[in-house]
Amino acid sequence: MRTAALPNLKKRMYPRMHQWIWMTTLPLLLLAAIVLAPLLTPQDPYLITVGDRLLAPSEAHLLGTDHLGRDLLSRIIAGIRTTVGTSLLILACSLLIGVTTGLLSGFIGGLWDRLFQRIIDAFMTLPDYIFAVILSGLLGPGLSNLLFAVIAVKWVGYARLARSVALQEKEQDYTALAVLAGVPKFRIVLRHILPHCLGNVLVLAALDLGKIILMIASLSYIGLGPQPPAAEWGSMLNEGQVYFTAAPHLMLAPGAALMLTVLAANLFGDKLRDRFDVKTREEA
Amino acid sequence: MWRSFGKKLLGLLVFVLFLSFISFCLLKLVPGDPVRSMLRVDDVAVSREDIADLRNELGLDRPLLVQYGAWLGKLLRLDFGVSYMTYRPVLGEFAEKLPFTLLLTGGSLLVMLVISVPLGALSAVYRNRWVDRFSRVFSLIGSSLPSFWLGLLLIQLLSVKLHLLPPMGGGSLAHLVLPSLTLGVAMSAIYVRLIRSSLLESGGQDFVASAKARGLHPARVFWFHTFRHSLVPLVTLLSESLGSLLGGTLVVEILFAYPGLGKWIVDAIVARDYPVIQGYILFISLCIVVLNLLVELSYRWIHPQLGWKGR
């Protein structure tokens, strides 16, 4: 039975080699940037030099300096770690929690599933941004609270998707066969049902990355994110907006960094969707 | 039809109450104390008796269930309690802020429609021509743009440099332009593509061909047959994004110091103003639930095939 199911699985669900390369380019690039960020900063992003405050871009400071004389380019590079790193961490945690709970709930069914469905409904009623603001506001500003609040909002989408796949695949003959053969439930979920939702979940995750980055940045912008002196693109915009007229570069650079990163993530997500979403591929 | 509608409404009300209970418990579980922030004035030391007195006065020393029961009992009389910060009724404050946020929501929807309907229609009609390519780039950039950054840039350009519009505050129509523009542009990024693809899809349907065959004017076919049919996904997406639009107003309201619901709730969260937070969560979830119901009703208007059961 396993040998009969496997070729089918391999063909449809597991990405091929060149697809793996596609799928991992952007995450790897971002990871490299996150790991290497401290080595790439030309100057210390936290070094305060009050004499050099609000300098326009020059050779010494390629993007100028902020209101405390810190090098803006270095702070933006350091911000990769805070903004993008946090987003990737959030994405990974939400994926793990959402997919696990969703698959189990859908597969086990019964009372648990109904209860789970209620919980998901409750989470879906409040718009995610408002929910994240309330949660992180109540927990208090700070990076770890922000992390927790955004995960609390984001896991629901994956749980819903995984649950629907589990409900669908549960009805398939091969699942019934596996149950009859006495395969443990956990193993069925892991080996037979998980591969079916992996493609869709990864596409959803790629499309979500940009949204998570924007959410973190805007939460930090309204003051709920990491506290100074941490370098985060959203809070850098918040700090910079006071010096609007004197130093417009303080507003331009972090925003542009944010936009370009999200743009890259969105382009990547679109590409992935075109490659993996069965429906879109048939249309093309 | 009205019967099933009523049943649904009742179920949703129960659900909203359940939600309010959960949020009530959560509010009490998270760290932070409204009493301390109420009594804290310029770092003057607060005596333990003062704290205990105020806690007693606000009923915060009673068991959780009793507190929730009291809140619910007042709610039945449409009493949402009194804000800890301003000592004014929550309902009154809400009624004061709501119009501002509604205006902002309406304004940004208007901006969104004004941008995305013509652009989407043009890029469907002139498919793969320069209009289409422009709209693709527009929507890609628009969906990657942080809305608060766009707002900052707009303030910089239109109010600081050109002195055209007031940068902050609310109250007049001129104050509404920048926030609505900020939200509307960001939203239209998604809608342009949606309208284009949905127009293309309904343009290929049989009823469009038959309308053309009957010799109707092309413009009439486009607006009354193709366009009307493609409203269904538009309304679906609108209903789904009303929540995120409300969330979007939150950032934009803070950015523009606009006196709406968003600024109100963020101030309340910082001060741990429980009645306000609790009331806000109830209002928002009610709004979302009722809006979803209305959307379901509007489908029947757009999509006559679904029909009105029992009519």
Side-chain angles (χ1 to χ4, degrees):
Chain A
M1 180 208 82
R2 256 188 83 190
T3 42
L6 267 180
N8 184 26
L9 275 185
K10 271 214 166 122
K11 201 177 87 205
R12 273 196 52 225
M13 296 311 155
Y14 288 121
R16 281 185 221 117
M17 195 56 207
H18 65 276
Q19 290 178 321
W20 273 115
I21 295 173
W22 256 112
M23 276 173 58
T24 44
T25 33
L26 188 77
L28 281 183
L29 265 178
L30 289 179
L31 270 181
I34 291 162
V35 173
L36 296 177
L39 301 175
L40 294 174
T41 51
Q43 282 156 48
D44 181 0
Y46 302 106
L47 180 72
I48 297 175
T49 328
V50 183
D52 290 346
R53 62 197 299 266
L54 301 179
L55 288 184
S58 65
E59 228 164 274
H61 303 281
L62 282 178
L63 290 176
T65 57
D66 70 358
H67 60 293
L68 294 175
R70 296 172 292 196
D71 183 48
L72 196 61
L73 180 63
S74 306
R75 280 182 74 71
I76 284 183
I77 294 174
I80 296 177
R81 200 168 246 201
T82 357
T83 311
V84 184
T86 313
S87 311
L88 283 178
L89 194 61
I90 288 173
L91 197 59
C93 293
S94 328
L95 267 176
L96 200 69
I97 299 173
V99 171
T100 320
T101 52
L103 280 182
L104 285 177
S105 161
F107 187 73
I108 294 170
L111 187 66
W112 276 115
D113 190 41
R114 253 183 290 161
L115 190 70
F116 189 71
Q117 184 66 25
R118 287 287 109 187
I119 296 174
I120 287 187
D121 282 347
F123 271 92
M124 303 287 290
T125 314
L126 273 189
D128 34 353
Y129 190 72
I130 292 181
F131 191 30
V133 167
I134 293 178
L135 207 54
S136 61
L138 286 175
L139 290 170
L143 194 60
S144 51
N145 289 341
L146 183 75
L147 200 86
F148 177 77
V150 181
I151 292 174
V153 172
K154 278 291 169 190
W155 69 278
V156 190
Y158 300 103
R160 253 174 48 144
L161 183 62
R163 182 178 166 270
S164 71
V165 172
L167 282 179
Q168 223 172 51
E169 299 302 323
K170 203 167 74 168
E171 305 301 321
Q172 303 289 326
D173 290 344
Y174 69 83
T175 319
L177 275 174
V179 173
L180 279 180
V183 182
K185 268 186 184 166
F186 192 69
R187 201 181 152 82
I188 298 179
V189 172
L190 210 64
R191 298 296 294 263
H192 296 266
I193 299 182
L194 177 67
H196 280 270
C197 76
L198 217 52
N200 285 342
V201 161
L202 287 180
V203 170
L204 181 67
L207 290 170
D208 237 9
L209 182 60
K211 286 183 203 152
I212 295 179
I213 295 177
L214 285 182
M215 190 184 257
I216 289 182
S218 61
L219 283 169
S220 314
Y221 171 76
I222 61 175
L224 295 173
Q227 295 303 291
E232 202 284 338
W233 295 340
S235 40
M236 281 161 76
L237 280 171
N238 185 8
E239 289 164 18
Q241 68 174 341
V242 189
Y243 306 97
F244 244 31
T245 32
H249 63 273
L250 281 184
M251 264 171 38
L252 290 179
L258 204 50
M259 193 188 89
L260 289 177
T261 316
V262 177
L263 190 67
N266 283 347
L267 278 173
F268 174 72
D270 282 350
K271 265 275 179 301
L272 266 195
R273 186 184 50 199
D274 291 348
R275 297 221 160 201
F276 290 98
D277 201 350
V278 183
K279 199 179 131 212
T280 359
R281 195 162 49 191
E282 276 167 1
E283 278 168 4
Chain B
M1 188 246 147
W2 290 113
R3 206 195 177 113
S4 68
F5 180 75
K7 227 183 206 168
K8 210 168 213 170
L9 197 65
L10 201 70
L12 288 173
L13 282 181
V14 171
F15 175 67
V16 167
L17 273 185
F18 167 72
L19 203 68
S20 81
F21 178 67
I22 302 280
S23 59
F24 198 86
C25 298
L26 273 178
L27 274 185
K28 308 285 161 159
L29 278 177
V30 295
D33 188 354
V35 175
R36 276 176 201 280
S37 60
M38 280 168 88
L39 288 175
R40 189 170 48 216
V41 181
D42 296 336
D43 291 323
V44 177
V46 186
S47 75
R48 205 162 286 211
E49 289 81 43
D50 284 345
I51 292 181
D53 278 353
L54 191 57
R55 288 186 75 84
N56 187 300
E57 191 190 317
L58 296 174
L60 289 172
D61 51 355
R62 287 181 292 169
L64 192 71
L65 276 176
V66 177
Q67 284 186 45
Y68 182 70
W71 182 77
L72 210 58
K74 278 193 189 163
L75 193 67
L76 290 178
R77 284 172 271 134
L78 280 182
D79 180 0
F80 285 78
V82 173
S83 160
Y84 292 169
M85 295 305 292
T86 59
Y87 295 103
R88 291 173 50 212
V90 173
L91 194 63
E93 285 208 327
F94 178 78
E96 203 174 276
K97 314 274 180 189
L98 181 68
F100 284 101
T101 298
L102 281 184
L103 268 179
L104 178 56
T105 317
S108 35
L109 278 179
L110 190 73
V111 170
M112 184 278 283
L113 286 175
V114 164
I115 295 177
S116 57
V117 171
L119 201 56
L122 279 176
S123 47
V125 175
Y126 301 102
R127 194 180 169 188
N128 292 334
R129 305 272 284 278
W130 67 266
V131 187
D132 194 17
R133 258 173 261 147
F134 169 77
S135 88
R136 183 168 297 154
V137 173
F138 169 81
S139 73
L140 199 61
I141 290 181
S143 57
S144 311
L145 205 64
S147 64
F148 56 97
W149 190 50
L150 178 66
L152 284 170
L153 294 181
L154 284 175
I155 293 180
Q156 178 81 327
L157 182 71
L158 294 177
S159 15
V160 178
K161 289 254 162 69
L162 299 175
H163 301 288
L164 285 178
L165 293 160
M168 303 270 165
S172 73
L173 217 56
H175 283 105
L176 202 62
V177 178
L178 277 183
S180 310
L181 214 58
T182 306
L183 274 175
V185 168
M187 269 179 86
S188 55
I190 320 163
Y191 284 89
V192 169
R193 299 317 284 173
L194 179 90
I195 290 175
R196 172 187 178 272
S197 61
S198 135
L199 277 176
L200 283 177
E201 199 204 312
S202 43
Q205 303 258 346
D206 289 345
F207 63 84
V208 173
S210 94
K212 276 183 192 155
R214 275 183 281 142
L216 293 180
H217 193 272
R220 198 188 151 85
V221 175
F222 184 77
W223 290 111
F224 288 88
H225 296 257
T226 320
F227 188 71
R228 180 171 173 182
H229 183 257
S230 56
L231 278 179
V232 176
L234 184 70
V235 171
T236 312
L237 188 66
L238 260 181
S239 72
E240 276 167 10
S241 63
L242 268 172
S244 62
L245 179 60
L246 272 176
T249 57
L250 217 145
V251 195
V252 170
E253 278 177 13
I254 292 169
L255 165 61
F256 288 97
Y258 186 85
L261 287 178
K263 211 174 150 350
W264 184 54
I265 184 63
V266 171
D267 291 344
I269 290 169
V270 173
R272 307 266 174 238
D273 195 338
Y274 291 152
V276 171
I277 304 173
Q278 185 69 13
Y280 178 83
I281 294 177
L282 187 75
F283 292 129
I284 294 290
S285 43
L286 260 182
C287 285
I288 300 284
V289 162
V290 170
L291 275 175
N292 284 342
L293 217 57
L294 286 179
V295 167
E296 216 166 287
L297 286 178
S298 78
Y299 282 149
R300 300 183 192 279
W301 173 74
I302 296 173
H303 226 249
Q305 292 99 306
L306 286 174
W308 300 81
K309 254 181 246 162
R311 195 171 73 171

